[in-house]
Amino acid sequence: MVSAPAVSAAAAAPLSREQVVPSRAKLRLPAWLEIAKPRLIPLLLATTLGGMALSEGWPLPPLRLACTLGGGALAAASAGVLNCLWEQELDGRMLRTSGRALPSGRLSMGTAFAIAVALALAAGTLLVGGVNCLAASLSLLGLCSYVLLYTVLLKPRTPQNIVIGGVAGAIPPLVGAAAASGHLGLGSWWLFALVMAWTPAHFWALALLLKDDYRAVGIPMLPVVKGSAVTARSIGVYAWATVLLSLLGVWTLPSGGLLYGLLLLPFNARLLQMAWGLLRQPDDLQRAKGLFRWSILYLFGLCLLLLLARLPAGDQFSRQGLDLLALLGSGGSASTLGAPLVG
C-alpha cells in the first residue's frame, strides 16, 4: 500500500517534455524539420478552418483552400525557426531543450536563418498569388507578433506574456476569414477572442509542468512568479471565459448554430471539470498534464464543430430545432401539437 506522502511526492515530481508529449520521445525529427516546430502547426490550421467556416464564403474553392492552409503552415514554420534562433542560447541552458538542433550544433545558425527566410517568402508568394493580400498580410502579422511581440519582448519580461502574446496564435482565424470572404466579419473576431481567452489556460497548464526549467533560466512564467495556487486560479478564470465566449458561436455562425451549441456542451463541461480539479489540487502535475492535453483536444473539437455546423445537415437540424422551440414557446403549442392530421 502506497503512503500519502509517497503519493504527494509522485504528484510533485517534475515531468519531462517527453512525458507531457509522448510523441517527442518516440519520433525524432530531422534537424531542419525540428526547428520549424511542426507539432504546433495542425492546431493553427484547425483555427484557420474555423475562421473560414464562420464566413459566408464557406466552402472555399479547393485551390484557394489549399493555398491558404499551405501558406499558413509555411508562415508558422518560419516563425518557429526564428523563435529557435532567438532562443538558442536559452535552450542551451535548459536540460530539456539542450538537445535541440541549434544548441546541440546539429544545425548552424546560418542554415536556420536561410530556412526561415525561404519559408516566409514561400508563404507570402503562395498567399498573395493564390489567396489575397489581406490573408498574406495577416499571416505576416502573426509571424511578427509571435517572434517580436511574444518571444523577444514579452516572454523574458512579464508573467502576463502569454495573455498578450497569445495574439499570435489567435490570428489564424482572421487569415481563414480573409481567405474565404476578403474581409473580417464578426465571426472571425469572435473566434480570435475565443482563442485569446483559451491560450492562457492552455499554456499555464504546461508551464506548471515545466516551471522548474523556466525558473532555472529566469523566465518569469506565472507559476514561477506567483506559484501553483495562483496559476490554478488564473487557469480557472480563463477556462470560464473560454466557455462563456464559446457559447456565442451559436449566434455568430451563419448557419447551424443550434447544432454547434448542443455538441459543445460536453466539451465545456469537461474543461470546467478539469480546471476545477486543478484548482483543488494545484500541485498535482498529473492534473495539470491532463488539462493541458484536454485543452488541445478542446480547440480541435470546437473547430470541428464549426465545420459540422456548416454542413447542410447541420443547417437543417438547427432550423428544425429552432422551429420546434418556437412552436413549444407559442401560446397555441399544446393544441397545435395535439391536433389530429386532416387528410
Side-chain angles (χ1 to χ4, degrees):
M1 185 174 182
V2 181
S3 65
V7 173
S8 300
L15 298 173
S16 69
R17 190 65 175 261
E18 287 70 26
Q19 289 175 298
V20 178
V21 187
S23 62
R24 292 178 181 272
K26 296 177 183 177
L27 182 62
R28 186 70 170 180
L29 298 175
W32 61 268
L33 183 58
E34 176 190 309
I35 59 173
K37 300 189 175 183
R39 294 179 180 89
L40 305 180
I41 295 175
L43 192 54
L44 298 175
L45 297 184
T47 59
T48 303
L49 286 169
M52 294 177 184
L54 287 159
S55 169
E56 293 290 354
W58 178 263
L60 277 69
L63 181 59
R64 199 192 319 162
L65 176 64
C67 288
T68 305
L69 296 180
L74 290 170
S78 178
V81 175
L82 292 172
N83 171 267
C84 288
L85 274 168
W86 182 264
E87 296 191 333
Q88 176 184 357
E89 188 272 336
L90 183 68
D91 286 343
R93 292 191 285 123
M94 298 172 70
L95 179 62
R96 68 179 179 87
T97 57
S98 59
R100 286 180 176 174
L102 287 171
S104 66
R106 289 187 289 122
L107 197 69
S108 69
M109 292 183 64
T111 301
F113 184 73
I115 290 173
V117 172
L119 289 170
L121 290 175
T125 302
L126 196 57
L127 289 169
V128 170
V131 190
N132 56 51
C133 290
L134 178 59
S137 300
L138 287 167
S139 187
L140 177 62
L141 177 63
L143 186 158
C144 292
S145 59
Y146 178 62
V147 176
L148 299 178
L149 179 64
Y150 173 69
T151 304
V152 177
L153 183 62
L154 297 173
K155 185 176 178 178
R157 291 176 174 83
T158 171
Q160 296 299 308
N161 45 33
I162 200 62
V163 177
I164 307 167
V167 66
I171 286 179
L174 303 183
V175 176
S181 61
H183 67 274
L184 303 179
L186 177 62
S188 64
W189 287 112
W190 162 73
L191 190 52
F192 172 89
L194 176 62
V195 176
M196 283 285 290
W198 166 88
T199 300
H202 161 74
F203 186 83
W204 284 335
L206 175 64
L208 282 170
L209 303 172
L210 305 176
K211 63 181 178 181
D212 291 337
D213 275 343
Y214 288 128
R215 182 182 290 112
V217 294
I219 297 296
M221 291 300 177
L222 189 63
V224 174
V225 176
K226 298 292 186 179
S228 299
V230 171
T231 302
R233 286 198 296 272
S234 299
I235 286 173
V237 170
Y238 279 97
W240 269 105
T242 301
V243 166
L244 294 175
L245 274 171
S246 71
L247 297 176
L248 296 180
V250 174
W251 293 276
T252 54
L253 269 161
S255 62
L258 181 61
L259 176 64
Y260 160 84
L262 290 174
L263 295 179
L264 182 68
L265 292 177
F267 285 84
N268 280 340
R270 181 59 173 162
L271 181 65
L272 292 177
Q273 179 192 31
M274 299 194 79
W276 172 247
L278 183 62
L279 181 62
R280 294 177 60 195
Q281 295 179 278
D283 292 315
D284 189 337
L285 298 187
Q286 291 300 325
R287 290 183 182 272
K289 178 181 177 182
L291 177 58
F292 170 70
R293 289 183 170 181
W294 175 252
S295 67
I296 297 173
L297 293 175
Y298 176 90
L299 195 56
F300 269 122
L302 184 143
C303 292
L304 177 61
L305 295 184
L306 293 175
L307 296 174
L308 291 175
R310 294 305 310 279
L311 292 173
D315 183 31
Q316 183 181 13
F317 174 88
S318 295
R319 289 179 182 274
Q320 291 177 345
L322 291 172
D323 289 343
L324 179 60
L325 290 174
L327 186 63
L328 293 174
S330 65
S333 59
S335 59
T336 303
L337 290 173
L341 295 174
V342 179

